[in-house]
Amino acid sequence: MDVIDFITRSPDIDFSIASFDGRLQLVTANAKFKDMYRISEQEALPEPSQLRKVVELAARQKQDVAGVVIDEMIEGRKLQLMLYCYKSEEEDERYHTALFDITVLCQFYEMKLANEKRKLIGEMAAGTANSILNPLAVVRGSLQLIETTLKTNLASSHLSDHLVSQSVGHYITLANHQVTEINNYVQRWLHLGKPFHLDLRPVLLSSFLETYVPNLQRDAIKKRVPLVCEFPSDDGQLLIDPHYLREVINEFIKNSFEASHEQKGIVRLSVQVSDRTATITIRDSGPGIAADMIKLVKDPFFTTKEDSIGLGLNFCEVVLQKMGGHYELSGDPSGTEVRIVLPRVSAD
């Protein structure tokens, strides 16, 4: 096979070439192009095709196109292609195109950019988190001293009153709760900046659920959101840190409760066990997540909520990776679904 035959006939070549007439019907193309677009000579480019739109624009404006990146959905898979389109000088209304698949290259640079972004955020977090945690510890200690002093004075004073004591206790508890919330957020921020270790140990899935689900059901009652739980008859052993796994599930559950409460819907928690994995699925009845938001929600500090700083899902991703697992997020108008996938380990 000579060079020309290789370019025109081989399906293994990594670029596509094609020529079109003024009606955007295919005149000639190599095997790679025909395999990608599934059209033959004298057939027109499909209407939804980004290639068709660019060639139409080039013909209308009578300009060549060089190095434009287009997205094409080919058999349900999104490809990123670099396109070159030139008008033939010898023949009227003939357009030559070349397409180079740069999907893998784009994915590499996206991953590289994400890692660099996470590293930069981590360095910022490590440098500032302790500056917040130290004064926060002072605030917490001061609150404890105030509580002790007030209770002592109220107990020894003739002005002591049960209602006053209750009021003081309420505000002290509220302040301590807010300090704890701030502390938790800053701790997650700190996890972006420095390595942290999990206490991984073999835990039966049934044992984890027995200790976790009752608290979850109490939270559902407080939030006034119906919670439906579905558990498997089979059991499995996981290598996890129970505390951090609870934190991960709580993060997703909290979002599900909020979304379902607004829509007066339900939250469904189900668990499936296979030979190799255990999958915890959380499905809510909220408005769902737009498709263009799915990739963004894992980014640190990306959030659609006014009262959030956007570290929750990134924290979940980091923790699950340390457990050898991951999570998958999907959404539609009927709600959002999260699938937490963890590997099973041998009981030996």
Side-chain angles (χ1 to χ4, degrees), residues 323-346:
M323 296 183 190
H326 66 279
Y327 78 84
E328 301 163 0
L329 192 64
S330 61
D332 55 51
S334 65
T336 301
E337 182 174 285
V338 181
R339 299 177 71 247
I340 301 171
V341 183
L342 293 163
R344 289 182 60 179
V345 294
S346 173

Side-chain angles (χ1 to χ4, degrees), residues 85-348:
C85 177
Y86 299 98
K87 188 177 185 301
S88 173
E89 296 181 358
E90 289 83 17
E91 301 172 85
D92 292 337
E93 297 300 317
R94 182 71 61 86
Y95 297 90
H96 305 306
T97 62
L99 292 162
F100 298 87
D101 189 347
I102 58 171
T103 307
V104 175
L105 183 63
C106 289
Q107 290 172 346
F108 169 77
Y109 278 107
E110 284 180 6
M111 187 182 304
K112 183 174 171 49
L113 183 62
N115 288 337
E116 290 178 352
K117 180 180 178 182
R118 181 174 294 175
K119 181 180 178 182
L120 177 61
I121 292 173
E123 290 173 352
M124 293 170 57
T128 58
N130 285 328
S131 299
I132 300 173
L133 287 173
N134 290 336
L136 204 59
V138 175
V139 172
R140 172 172 283 171
S142 299
L143 283 172
Q144 291 172 348
L145 287 173
I146 292 170
E147 182 179 21
T148 302
T149 302
L150 284 174
K151 285 183 177 179
T152 302
N153 290 337
L154 284 171
S156 61
S157 172
H158 66 280
L159 297 175
S160 177
D161 183 272
H162 180 65
L163 292 178
V164 174
S165 179
Q166 276 192 326
S167 178
V168 169
H170 169 73
Y171 287 115
I172 293 292
T173 301
L174 184 62
N176 272 315
H177 175 73
Q178 295 303 314
V179 169
T180 301
E181 286 291 304
I182 296 171
N183 185 76
N184 290 339
Y185 274 121
V186 176
Q187 288 291 349
R188 290 186 181 185
W189 193 7
L190 194 59
H191 288 334
L192 296 176
K194 67 178 184 181
F196 68 101
H197 302 285
L198 306 186
D199 180 19
L200 296 177
R201 57 185 184 273
V203 177
L204 282 173
L205 180 60
S206 58
S207 175
F208 172 80
L209 293 173
E210 283 174 8
T211 58
Y212 174 70
V213 172
N215 293 327
L216 179 61
Q217 290 172 327
R218 282 194 292 269
D219 289 341
I221 293 172
K222 290 179 181 178
K223 299 289 185 181
R224 297 182 180 180
V225 176
L227 175 67
V228 178
C229 297
E230 299 174 352
F231 303 128
S233 56
D234 296 333
D235 203 352
Q237 188 166 250
L238 311 176
L239 189 65
I240 60 172
D241 182 322
H243 166 73
Y244 275 102
L245 182 56
R246 282 194 294 269
E247 287 288 302
V248 168
I249 300 176
N250 284 341
E251 184 65 35
F252 292 120
I253 284 288
K254 180 183 72 173
N255 293 337
S256 295
F257 280 169
E258 291 175 358
S260 295
H261 181 72
E262 293 173 0
Q263 303 291 321
K264 296 183 178 179
I266 68 171
V267 172
R268 188 178 300 274
L269 174 71
S270 60
V271 181
Q272 296 86 33
V273 178
S274 68
D275 292 339
R276 296 186 177 182
T277 62
T279 302
I280 302 170
T281 303
I282 303 165
R283 174 83 190 187
D284 65 44
S285 305
I289 300 178
D292 57 346
M293 293 288 185
I294 294 292
K295 291 179 65 176
L296 298 176
V297 294
K298 294 184 180 182
D299 291 347
F301 304 113
F302 177 85
T303 181
T304 57
K305 301 177 183 178
E306 294 182 358
D307 59 347
S308 174
I309 58 176
L311 292 179
L313 299 191
N314 183 265
F315 167 79
C316 293
E317 183 178 34
V318 172
V319 169
L320 289 174
Q321 285 176 352
K322 288 179 177 289
M323 296 183 190
H326 66 279
Y327 78 84
E328 301 163 0
L329 192 64
S330 61
D332 55 51
S334 65
T336 301
E337 182 174 285
V338 181
R339 299 177 71 247
I340 301 171
V341 183
L342 293 163
R344 289 182 60 179
V345 294
S346 173
D348 298 335

